[in-house]
Amino acid sequence: MSRTERVELTVLCLVRSGDEYLLQDRVKKEWQGFTLPGGHVEQGESIVDAVVREMKEETGLTVLNPKLCGVKQFPIEQGRYLVFLFCADHFEGELTSSEEGEMHWVKASELSKIATVDDFTELMQVMLDDNFNEFQYVVEGGEWKIVLK
């Protein structure tokens, strides 16, 4: 059995300001709804540099000292898709949106009133609860299941 596999590297970032989260109303059909901004890590780019770049591209903000707070993963053809999950409480710049979707500050207490992506609750659980570090999709009997660790 090979110890190597094809891997796609991506990042997501939970930007917080007080009791508000910065969410993107994603326009792409796959994973549609309110979610965290993020994107792919470029070849040769550090993971931290990728999250700073992606936040600048999608939100107009420069996140300062983003902290790794977990990982999300799921199987892809002959490999896995890895999402490094970051949190950032400090940032600078002017908020803008991108072609990926409109950016909105949403109060934590209002999250249940908006249409989030399907796995948003579990994603936030991994990012905010110190008892979890990993969000993994596993395929069992042809069905996708979420496992939090």
Side-chain angles (χ1 to χ4, degrees), residues 77-95:
E77 190 173 323
Q78 298 176 346
R80 101 179 49 199
Y81 194 98
L82 284 177
V83 186
F84 293 92
L85 306 174
F86 285 86
C87 292
D89 296 322
H90 303 288
F91 54 88
E92 57 189 23
E94 188 80 22
L95 182 64

Side-chain angles (χ1 to χ4, degrees), residues 110-128:
E110 300 290 315
L111 289 174
S112 64
K113 298 177 182 175
I114 61 173
T116 58
V117 294
D118 291 337
D119 58 8
F120 188 78
T121 300
E122 295 89 352
L123 180 64
M124 292 296 281
Q125 192 173 358
V126 170
M127 297 186 79
L128 297 174

Side-chain angles (χ1 to χ4, degrees), residues 56-98:
K56 182 70 171 174
E57 289 175 4
E58 294 195 10
T59 72
L61 302 177
T62 301
V63 293
L64 307 172
N65 199 24
K67 298 289 182 199
L68 184 64
C69 56
V71 65
K72 177 181 177 182
Q73 61 177 312
F74 54 90
I76 57 175
E77 190 173 323
Q78 298 176 346
R80 101 179 49 199
Y81 194 98
L82 284 177
V83 186
F84 293 92
L85 306 174
F86 285 86
C87 292
D89 296 322
H90 303 288
F91 54 88
E92 57 189 23
E94 188 80 22
L95 182 64
T96 60
S97 295
S98 73

Side-chain angles (χ1 to χ4, degrees), residues 31-49:
W31 213 47
Q32 194 169 26
F34 280 85
T35 191
L36 305 173
H40 282 83
V41 177
E42 302 292 336
Q43 189 170 356
E45 182 178 41
S46 86
I47 307 299
V48 172
D49 289 346

Side-chain angles (χ1 to χ4, degrees), residues 20-26 34-35 95-97 101-107 114:
E20 293 185 315
Y21 302 134
L22 184 59
L23 301 180
Q24 183 180 71
D25 188 3
R26 193 171 153 85
F34 280 85
T35 191
L95 182 64
T96 60
S97 295
E102 288 289 318
M103 299 306 304
H104 301 272
W105 286 106
V106 179
K107 289 187 182 292
I114 61 173

